[in-house]
Amino acid sequence: MGEVDAGTPSFEMTWSSTTSSGYCSQEDSDSELEQYFTARTSLARRPRRDQDEPAEWEIPDLSQAEVEQKIKEYNSQINSNLFMSLNKDGSYTGFIKVQLKLVRPVSVPSSKKPPSLQDVRRGPGRGTAVKRRTSFYLPKDAVKHLHVLSRTRAREVIEALLRKFLVVDDPRKFALFERAERHGQVYLRKLSDDEQPLRLRLLAGPSEKALSFVLKENDSGEVNWDAFSMPELHNFLRILQREEEEHLRQILQKYSYCRQKIQEALHACPLG
C-alpha cells in the first residue's frame, strides 16, 4: 500500500444505509433556501443528546520505537485488512472511519440526478465553476473509511470528504468530532483544525467505543457569517425581516386587545 499525500487521501467507501438519499431537484432559489434555512432552525443552537467533554488526557509525543510498537499492537487487534503501515520517513499510514451525521441538506452542483458512488469516486470536474446548486440529503449514517497519513489534519479530512461527495458548501460549516463511550455515557469532543485523526486512532487503539469519528454541522454558539454564500445571506435577511414584521404585528395586536378591554371596562363602570 503506497504512501498517500496528506492533502489528497485515498478513499475506500462503505455504506451503513441503503435508504433513499432524499435528493431534492429544486435549483438554488429563494424557495429552496427557505426550505432548510430559517432564522430559528439554522441560527439557534440545538441541545445535544450526547455530552460534550474536554479531553481528559494530553496527547503524548511518542518516540519512533514507541510508534512502531503501537502499530504492531494495533494491527494485532484488528480482524480486517485495514492495517497501519510505518513509512521510512517516520510517518505512518492507516485507515480512519468517519460516520456522517448531517441534519441539514448539503449543496451540490445542479444536475439531473444526485451524484452516484461512481461520481463520488471520480471527484468533481476540474475548472468547472458552480453556477447553480441543488439541495441534497446525504445518506443517513453513511460511513467512510479514509486512508490517510499520520500528519493528515482534521480540516483536510473534512475537505476531502466534501470533495468526494461534490459538496460545494464551505468546509467551515462542518466539524469533525471525536466520539467516546465511557461508563454508559457518550461523549463528543470537537477536533481542532490541526489535530491528526490517525494519531488519535493509534493511541486509542481499534476499539470503536474508545474512539470513533463523526462529521457533523459546525454548530457552535456563534454564527460564522463568512461561511455562507451571498444568496444564503440575502435569504437570511429576508427571513429576519419577515420574522421582525410578524413579531411587531403580534405585539401591536396584543396591546390593542388589552387597550380595548380596558376601555370596555371603563365604559362599563358607573359614573361617580
Side-chain angles (χ1 to χ4, degrees):
M1 189 174 298
E3 181 177 345
V4 182
D5 181 73
T8 55
S10 63
F11 288 77
E12 295 291 337
M13 296 189 172
T14 59
W15 299 89
S16 60
S17 172
T18 56
T19 57
S20 171
S21 63
Y23 171 71
C24 181
S25 62
Q26 293 99 330
E27 294 178 344
D28 194 8
S29 62
D30 292 346
S31 60
E32 178 203 358
L33 288 171
E34 290 172 13
Q35 287 179 11
Y36 59 92
F37 282 115
T38 68
R40 293 191 181 95
T41 60
S42 293
L43 306 186
R45 186 176 184 179
R46 297 181 179 181
R48 297 185 186 276
R49 293 184 179 179
D50 301 329
Q51 298 187 24
D52 290 336
E53 182 182 81
E56 295 182 349
W57 44 273
E58 294 182 359
I59 300 175
D61 289 326
L62 301 179
S63 66
Q64 191 65 19
E66 289 173 326
V67 169
E68 187 173 354
Q69 180 61 32
K70 280 280 188 182
I71 291 176
K72 289 180 180 178
E73 293 174 359
Y74 182 94
N75 290 340
S76 67
Q77 297 177 50
I78 61 175
N79 54 5
S80 65
N81 60 348
L82 304 180
F83 298 106
M84 289 195 188
S85 301
L86 186 64
N87 300 320
K88 293 180 180 180
D89 62 358
S91 65
Y92 48 96
T93 59
F95 292 86
I96 59 171
K97 185 170 77 171
V98 180
Q99 184 179 25
L100 276 68
K101 282 187 171 292
L102 301 179
V103 177
R104 296 189 286 270
V106 296
S107 298
V108 297
S110 181
S111 60
K112 295 181 180 179
K113 61 179 181 178
S116 64
L117 188 57
Q118 289 74 22
D119 295 331
V120 170
R121 285 174 175 165
R122 282 196 298 265
R126 296 181 179 177
T128 303
V130 178
K131 296 182 179 180
R132 305 186 74 87
R133 298 182 179 185
T134 300
S135 61
F136 173 69
Y137 282 94
L138 290 177
K140 186 179 180 181
D141 291 338
V143 173
K144 311 289 175 293
H145 284 94
L146 288 70
H147 188 220
V148 296
L149 274 167
S150 55
R151 57 177 175 264
T152 301
R153 299 176 301 156
R155 179 53 51 188
E156 293 173 305
V157 169
I158 295 173
E159 292 171 353
L161 277 171
L162 298 182
R163 283 199 304 270
K164 288 295 179 179
F165 271 108
L166 310 182
V167 176
V168 295
D169 291 314
D170 194 303
R172 290 175 293 180
K173 291 184 180 181
F174 306 91
L176 193 63
F177 287 82
E178 172 191 271
R179 182 181 186 274
E181 296 181 27
R182 291 191 295 273
H183 311 298
Q185 298 277 358
V186 176
Y187 297 96
L188 285 176
R189 184 180 71 89
K190 179 181 172 181
L191 300 187
S192 67
D193 288 349
D194 293 328
E195 287 193 72
Q196 300 162 333
L198 187 62
R199 189 181 180 193
L200 297 174
R201 177 81 280 164
L202 178 64
L203 292 171
S207 171
E208 290 294 320
K209 288 188 175 182
L211 174 71
S212 61
F213 296 108
V214 182
L215 182 71
K216 303 178 70 175
E217 282 89 358
N218 190 12
D219 287 332
S220 61
E222 299 180 356
V223 179
N224 183 11
W225 297 111
D226 292 335
F228 292 94
S229 65
M230 290 294 292
E232 291 170 342
L233 292 172
H234 284 301
N235 191 58
F236 277 133
L237 288 175
R238 287 193 292 270
I239 293 171
L240 288 172
Q241 182 178 355
R242 285 201 296 269
E243 288 190 355
E244 180 184 7
E245 292 172 351
E246 176 62 20
H247 284 309
L248 288 173
R249 187 191 65 80
Q250 292 177 2
I251 291 173
L252 292 173
Q253 185 178 22
K254 173 185 175 181
Y255 282 93
S256 176
Y257 176 80
C258 290
R259 187 180 297 107
Q260 179 182 349
K261 290 299 181 182
I262 292 173
Q263 289 175 347
E264 291 176 356
L266 285 173
H267 289 308
C269 290
L271 294 175

